[in-house]
Amino acid sequence: YQRRVRGQITKMVSRIDLCLVLLILVVAPHVFAKPLELDETHFKKIVDGSKHVLVQFVEYSWKDSQDYTKVSDEFASFTDLLITKVDISSAKALKEQYKITEFPTTKFFLKGGASPVDYKGDHTPDSLADFVYFNINPKLRHLKDLAARFFSEENSRADLLQEAEGEVKNIDGPLAEIAQFYVLVMKRIIEKGSDFVEKEKQRLSALINNPNTVAAKKTLFNKRVSILNSFRHL
């Protein structure tokens, strides 16, 4: 009897912990910068197909790179996306289920998807962020490709701008602002010349390094610098 009661209490505590986590994410997503740490029990409840979930499997979380926190911070305002990590040293069942053999291993569980998408690139903040963006909406990958072509193919800029504007019309939610910045940069390059890219990167970098710039703005400016880096010669 005591064993059964203890089991029921453990389940109740687990549910309360999960509810508190989800409440923090909904009520104050902008202050929740660190990746959500999942154990095996919470993993099954969080990765249930109801939202996008990026999971980084690490061995001994205290060894985890701080770069992953930057990814979490970038997506803090997304209400249907969670950036999480699992310390595989205490989650052996998940290690076997997903055949984790090296660290870190990152997988993206799309909302409504049956199987995760494996990440195979460098574990840098920009690369991981692009991986998430491109899987949520492949049109963002197309915009990044258009940016490189736009910078290199000066005689085709009017047509490429028109193509980019067509893509942006079909992107909504929190991704819309990112998509619109590609178009804005294209228009500024047409107005001010290709030098606009480097000048704008310098301006944004100064704001990022300014101690008076709030964290949310720094995250936004870092993303814009990343987009500006897409405008380069092929």
Side-chain angles (χ1 to χ4, degrees):
Y1 173 77
Q2 290 178 341
R3 193 174 294 173
R4 186 169 67 252
V5 170
R6 283 198 297 269
Q8 291 173 343
I9 291 172
T10 300
K11 289 180 180 179
M12 288 175 62
V13 171
S14 180
R15 291 195 189 100
I16 291 171
D17 287 345
L18 181 61
C19 289
L20 287 173
V21 166
L22 294 176
L23 180 62
I24 291 171
L25 290 170
V26 172
V27 175
H30 59 285
V31 298
F32 195 85
K34 291 186 178 181
L36 177 62
E37 295 192 37
L38 302 178
D39 57 19
E40 289 183 344
T41 300
H42 286 152
F43 181 92
K44 294 175 183 177
K45 295 178 180 180
I46 291 291
V47 185
D48 61 356
S50 64
K51 60 184 75 64
H52 302 300
V53 185
L54 184 70
V55 182
Q56 186 168 95
F57 296 92
V58 298
E59 190 172 35
Y60 307 112
S61 59
W62 58 268
K63 293 182 179 179
D64 192 23
S65 169
Q66 290 301 308
D67 283 347
Y68 196 54
T69 298
K70 296 178 182 178
V71 179
S72 181
D73 188 56
E74 179 159 342
F75 293 101
S77 63
F78 285 58
T79 57
D80 64 344
L81 168 66
L82 296 179
I83 307 299
T84 70
K85 68 177 180 179
V86 173
D87 187 341
I88 216 71
S89 59
S90 57
K92 302 299 184 183
L94 291 176
K95 181 178 181 180
E96 292 181 10
Q97 181 180 353
Y98 293 105
K99 299 178 174 59
I100 309 299
T101 57
E102 57 184 41
F103 307 97
T105 290
T106 303
K107 296 177 180 287
F108 192 37
F109 296 80
L110 286 162
K111 181 166 59 176
S115 302
V117 181
D118 293 332
Y119 177 69
K120 298 178 181 179
D122 296 329
H123 280 78
T124 60
D126 284 347
S127 296
L128 283 166
D130 280 348
F131 172 68
V132 173
Y133 284 124
F134 297 162
N135 275 283
I136 293 176
N137 194 324
K139 291 183 182 297
L140 289 174
R141 181 190 294 275
H142 187 207
L143 283 172
K144 185 169 184 174
D145 292 341
L146 286 176
R149 288 181 57 197
F150 183 91
F151 200 77
S152 300
E153 302 172 19
E154 294 187 29
N155 294 331
S156 303
R157 284 179 175 175
D159 292 337
L160 292 170
L161 172 59
Q162 186 175 7
E163 187 175 349
E165 288 176 325
E167 290 284 52
V168 170
K169 289 179 182 178
N170 300 313
I171 300 176
D172 55 14
L175 299 180
E177 184 178 356
I178 294 168
Q180 289 163 2
F181 189 68
Y182 280 99
V183 171
L184 177 63
V185 174
M186 290 179 180
K187 290 180 178 179
R188 292 292 181 269
I189 290 174
I190 290 174
E191 294 171 3
K192 302 182 179 182
S194 299
D195 289 346
F196 167 78
V197 173
E198 284 303 319
K199 290 178 180 178
E200 183 65 4
K201 285 165 62 175
Q202 291 173 9
R203 185 184 74 85
L204 290 173
S205 295
L207 290 171
I208 292 167
N209 294 323
N210 188 327
N212 295 322
T213 304
V214 298
K217 285 294 184 181
K218 287 186 178 183
T219 299
L220 173 62
F221 296 154
N222 274 313
K223 183 58 195 173
R224 289 184 175 179
V225 169
S226 177
I227 292 172
L228 287 163
N229 286 334
S230 302
F231 289 85
R232 67 191 191 284
H233 287 293
L234 292 173

